[in-house]
Amino acid sequence: MTKTDIKFINHASVLISHGDIKILSDPWYNGPVFHNGWRLLHEIEEKKVIDILKTVTHIFISHEHPDHFNTSFFLNQNIKSILTKKNVEILFQHTKDKRVYKFLKKNGYNVKEFKSDEKIDLGNDLQAKIIKHDFYDSSLILKTPVIKILNLNDCPMREEQEIIKFKKKHGPFDVLLTQFSYAAWKGGVDNKNYRESAAEEKLDSIEKQSNILNCKFVIPFASFVYFSNELNFYMNDSINTPEKIVKKLSGKKYNIVFLSPGEIQDLSNLKQKQSSLDFWKKEYDNINLKHKDKFEQSINLENLNLNYKNYRDKIYKKNSKFLIYFLKKIKLMNLFQSINIKLYDHEKTYNYSIFSGLTESTSKEIDVIMHSQSLAFIFKNEFGFDTLTVNGCFECSQKGFSKLSKSFAVGSLNALGLALNFNLLFKPQIVLLFLIKLKKVLSKLV
């Protein structure tokens, strides 16, 4: 019977080998992501990456976030040369916008799109299935005659009923790979309670996933990062560590196994190595000594408003201008209301409206504080607001975060290939999901 091995590479990247089939997941190995907001605890030099890629037959990309779909990796000419010459097949979920698919095709890659729940035979009795989650995420199921693996990465599957529903459809699993710490803004400098609560919720999610899915082994991963900007560095104060996870979840009916970079194990007989725990303890103990990113350049008001005009034109082109105006008039919904934004680097407050841009304000009521580079990034990229909420390089009140979300989240909607128009009324589940997520965040901002 063919043996199935796992080699841990970094963060959410593992190499699963079954005979001649070798599937690499979510390659990101160096450099900052999320607009200079995250870095890896441990980077891997390119030579080692190249050696790994020479053995790969497939690459699974779970979703478009840069710690999973890292464009710098795929644009690296040395990497591109190897992957295209070997005709490595990139496995990705089917999406409406096809942005990732088009990017990879344009750069000469061999891409295989999976419809949700579509089963593909990769050879050597190895079957693969990609499952779509939430707005944009996806998980990977790999099944051989003797083992069944779920790579959940950071898919938001937390509630008991949601996990039970997943199990009814896809069955139990022998091995689970899942995220083990929080990975987004959690309430600002003074809201440590929120971060501590978020860390505990991750522990609770791991336990629910593992128990309900009847897992024998659990490999926590996809959290080997630190918040690397001087504006978000405080968020490292409550992150989960391997040491904490092992202490909290040891003695369960499933076995927790942390792997270190380059470590290879048989997936049918995983064992925790003390050397791996020691490796990560050293990395986490040294977080305060690691590199801090900084927004060096300030964007002046004139250029910010030029960026805003381009942003506004794109929003009006993709969405119903009439509906945006109409929703603003419904005060109860508080959509597209003006926002008072203080910019750290300007030391000034501006009133922002999607209808009129930025104007200097003397108001003492501040909804959000950020750097001018963060605001420019939102204006320049549809995914800009999503990036800001992940990198956490801002300070915000409960009311301010609600206003911020209800104005700028339209860009995130467009990034998913959706639009704010009357057709959205026939997709109430999308609106409901957004409101549920927003309500959950606001409930923590006290």
Side-chain angles (χ1 to χ4, degrees), residues 91-108:
L91 312 178
F92 191 66
Q93 60 177 306
H94 174 80
T95 60
K96 186 175 180 180
D97 62 81
K98 289 185 175 290
R99 186 165 48 233
V100 172
Y101 177 86
K102 289 177 181 177
F103 172 90
L104 292 168
K105 277 289 188 183
K106 180 181 177 182
N107 282 282

Side-chain angles (χ1 to χ4, degrees), residues 25-131:
S25 64
D26 293 337
W28 167 46
Y29 306 126
N30 49 65
V33 295
F34 290 116
H35 196 212
N36 293 313
W38 286 23
R39 283 185 181 267
L40 290 158
L41 285 165
H42 174 79
E43 294 194 338
I44 299 177
E45 60 189 58
E46 186 173 311
K47 183 181 182 301
K48 289 184 178 180
V49 174
I50 295 296
D51 288 341
I52 292 164
L53 296 180
K54 288 177 180 178
T55 69
V56 169
T57 59
H58 300 77
I59 296 178
F60 164 65
I61 302 170
S62 60
H63 60 291
E64 199 175 343
H65 276 170
D67 60 318
H68 299 266
F69 172 57
N70 189 265
T71 54
S72 296
F73 172 86
F74 288 103
L75 291 174
N76 180 296
Q77 289 303 310
N78 293 330
I79 289 170
K80 183 177 177 180
S81 176
I82 291 171
L83 296 180
T84 54
K85 187 176 181 180
K86 284 172 53 64
N87 200 33
V88 169
E89 191 169 51
I90 315 294
L91 312 178
F92 191 66
Q93 60 177 306
H94 174 80
T95 60
K96 186 175 180 180
D97 62 81
K98 289 185 175 290
R99 186 165 48 233
V100 172
Y101 177 86
K102 289 177 181 177
F103 172 90
L104 292 168
K105 277 289 188 183
K106 180 181 177 182
N107 282 282
Y109 288 101
N110 175 22
V111 192
K112 166 65 181 176
E113 277 190 308
F114 278 63
K115 295 177 182 176
S116 191
D117 296 346
E118 179 184 4
K119 193 181 294 182
I120 301 292
D121 188 355
L122 299 180
N124 286 352
D125 293 322
L126 177 63
Q127 291 181 336
K129 190 190 292 186
I130 293 178
I131 313 300

Side-chain angles (χ1 to χ4, degrees), residues 391-419:
N391 74 24
C393 292
F394 67 102
E395 286 289 312
C396 210
S397 65
Q398 183 187 59
K399 180 182 176 183
F401 189 78
S402 179
K403 290 170 72 174
L404 197 68
S405 300
K406 290 179 179 181
S407 182
F408 287 119
V410 64
S412 302
L413 188 73
N414 295 161
L416 296 170
L418 302 168

Side-chain angles (χ1 to χ4, degrees), residues 39-302:
R39 283 185 181 267
L40 290 158
L41 285 165
H42 174 79
E43 294 194 338
I44 299 177
E45 60 189 58
E46 186 173 311
K47 183 181 182 301
K48 289 184 178 180
V49 174
I50 295 296
D51 288 341
I52 292 164
L53 296 180
K54 288 177 180 178
T55 69
V56 169
T57 59
H58 300 77
I59 296 178
F60 164 65
I61 302 170
S62 60
H63 60 291
E64 199 175 343
H65 276 170
D67 60 318
H68 299 266
F69 172 57
N70 189 265
T71 54
S72 296
F73 172 86
F74 288 103
L75 291 174
N76 180 296
Q77 289 303 310
N78 293 330
I79 289 170
K80 183 177 177 180
S81 176
I82 291 171
L83 296 180
T84 54
K85 187 176 181 180
K86 284 172 53 64
N87 200 33
V88 169
E89 191 169 51
I90 315 294
L91 312 178
F92 191 66
Q93 60 177 306
H94 174 80
T95 60
K96 186 175 180 180
D97 62 81
K98 289 185 175 290
R99 186 165 48 233
V100 172
Y101 177 86
K102 289 177 181 177
F103 172 90
L104 292 168
K105 277 289 188 183
K106 180 181 177 182
N107 282 282
Y109 288 101
N110 175 22
V111 192
K112 166 65 181 176
E113 277 190 308
F114 278 63
K115 295 177 182 176
S116 191
D117 296 346
E118 179 184 4
K119 193 181 294 182
I120 301 292
D121 188 355
L122 299 180
N124 286 352
D125 293 322
L126 177 63
Q127 291 181 336
K129 190 190 292 186
I130 293 178
I131 313 300
K132 188 173 180 63
H133 296 254
D134 213 343
F135 283 125
Y136 48 74
D137 219 329
S138 73
S139 61
L140 176 68
I141 295 174
L142 293 174
K143 184 180 179 182
T144 78
V146 296
I147 195 166
K148 193 174 175 188
I149 306 152
L150 174 61
N151 179 346
L152 195 58
N153 63 85
D154 54 9
C155 290
M157 195 164 73
R158 307 178 186 95
E159 303 303 324
E160 188 171 312
Q161 288 304 314
E162 183 182 17
I163 304 169
I164 290 172
K165 183 179 177 181
F166 185 88
K167 182 186 176 183
K168 284 181 178 178
K169 188 170 184 179
H170 303 290
F173 293 87
D174 299 297
V175 180
L176 169 68
L177 293 94
T178 187
Q179 186 185 53
F180 66 91
S181 193
Y182 58 82
W185 180 72
K186 300 299 176 190
V189 173
D190 296 327
N191 203 340
K192 188 177 180 182
N193 287 340
Y194 186 3
R195 294 187 290 284
E196 291 174 341
S197 172
E200 287 298 321
E201 284 178 6
K202 276 296 177 186
L203 288 167
D204 184 56
S205 293
I206 294 173
E207 190 151 21
K208 286 178 183 175
Q209 292 164 3
S210 306
N211 285 327
I212 294 171
L213 297 175
N214 300 126
C215 302
K216 298 173 186 174
F217 301 102
V218 178
I219 301 175
F221 80 149
S223 295
F224 294 111
V225 296
Y226 70 101
F227 295 94
S228 64
N229 197 286
E230 65 174 8
L231 296 178
N232 69 9
F233 203 81
Y234 70 89
M235 288 206 297
N236 297 307
D237 62 8
S238 303
I239 55 177
N240 285 331
T241 65
E243 189 176 27
K244 178 181 177 181
I245 299 291
V246 170
K247 184 177 179 180
K248 288 273 189 176
L249 299 180
S250 61
K252 306 292 182 180
K253 64 179 182 180
Y254 50 86
N255 294 308
I256 293 284
V257 181
F258 279 93
L259 305 175
S260 57
E263 182 177 348
I264 302 172
Q265 287 207 37
D266 181 346
L267 278 167
S268 298
N269 189 30
L270 288 162
K271 294 179 181 178
Q272 181 62 67
K273 293 183 179 180
Q274 185 59 44
S275 58
S276 296
L277 294 176
D278 292 343
F279 174 88
W280 289 119
K281 186 178 188 308
K282 183 179 178 181
E283 293 293 339
Y284 280 93
D285 285 349
N286 289 327
I287 275 184
N288 289 330
L289 302 177
K290 293 186 182 295
H291 175 83
K292 282 186 185 178
D293 292 299
K294 182 178 181 179
F295 295 131
E296 300 284 355
Q297 182 183 358
S298 183
I299 314 297
N300 63 36
L301 180 60
E302 181 182 1

Side-chain angles (χ1 to χ4, degrees), residues 285-410:
D285 285 349
N286 289 327
I287 275 184
N288 289 330
L289 302 177
K290 293 186 182 295
H291 175 83
K292 282 186 185 178
D293 292 299
K294 182 178 181 179
F295 295 131
E296 300 284 355
Q297 182 183 358
S298 183
I299 314 297
N300 63 36
L301 180 60
E302 181 182 1
N303 283 325
L304 284 172
N305 268 322
L306 288 174
N307 295 152
Y308 148 73
K309 287 175 184 177
N310 291 330
Y311 168 82
R312 178 200 60 195
D313 292 346
K314 286 187 290 185
I315 293 295
Y316 286 167
K317 184 178 180 180
K318 289 194 173 185
N319 306 276
S320 168
K321 185 177 178 180
F322 170 79
L323 191 56
I324 290 173
Y325 272 101
F326 177 75
L327 290 172
K328 182 185 185 300
K329 297 295 183 182
I330 305 175
K331 297 296 184 183
L332 185 64
M333 298 182 72
N334 289 318
L335 292 165
F336 300 106
Q337 301 301 305
S338 62
I339 307 168
N340 288 322
I341 303 174
K342 182 176 180 179
L343 299 181
Y344 288 115
D345 47 320
H346 287 207
E347 296 184 346
K348 290 181 180 179
T349 301
Y350 302 93
N351 183 266
Y352 165 77
S353 166
I354 192 172
F355 309 106
S356 56
L358 291 163
T359 55
E360 202 166 325
S361 172
T362 57
S363 174
K364 293 184 178 179
E365 183 180 358
I366 298 171
D367 296 310
V368 60
I369 309 173
M370 67 176 77
H371 196 279
S372 62
Q373 280 205 28
S374 292
L375 185 55
F377 193 84
I378 292 174
F379 288 149
K380 291 177 181 179
N381 302 281
E382 288 182 331
F383 52 84
F385 175 65
D386 188 37
T387 295
L388 184 73
T389 61
V390 173
N391 74 24
C393 292
F394 67 102
E395 286 289 312
C396 210
S397 65
Q398 183 187 59
K399 180 182 176 183
F401 189 78
S402 179
K403 290 170 72 174
L404 197 68
S405 300
K406 290 179 179 181
S407 182
F408 287 119
V410 64

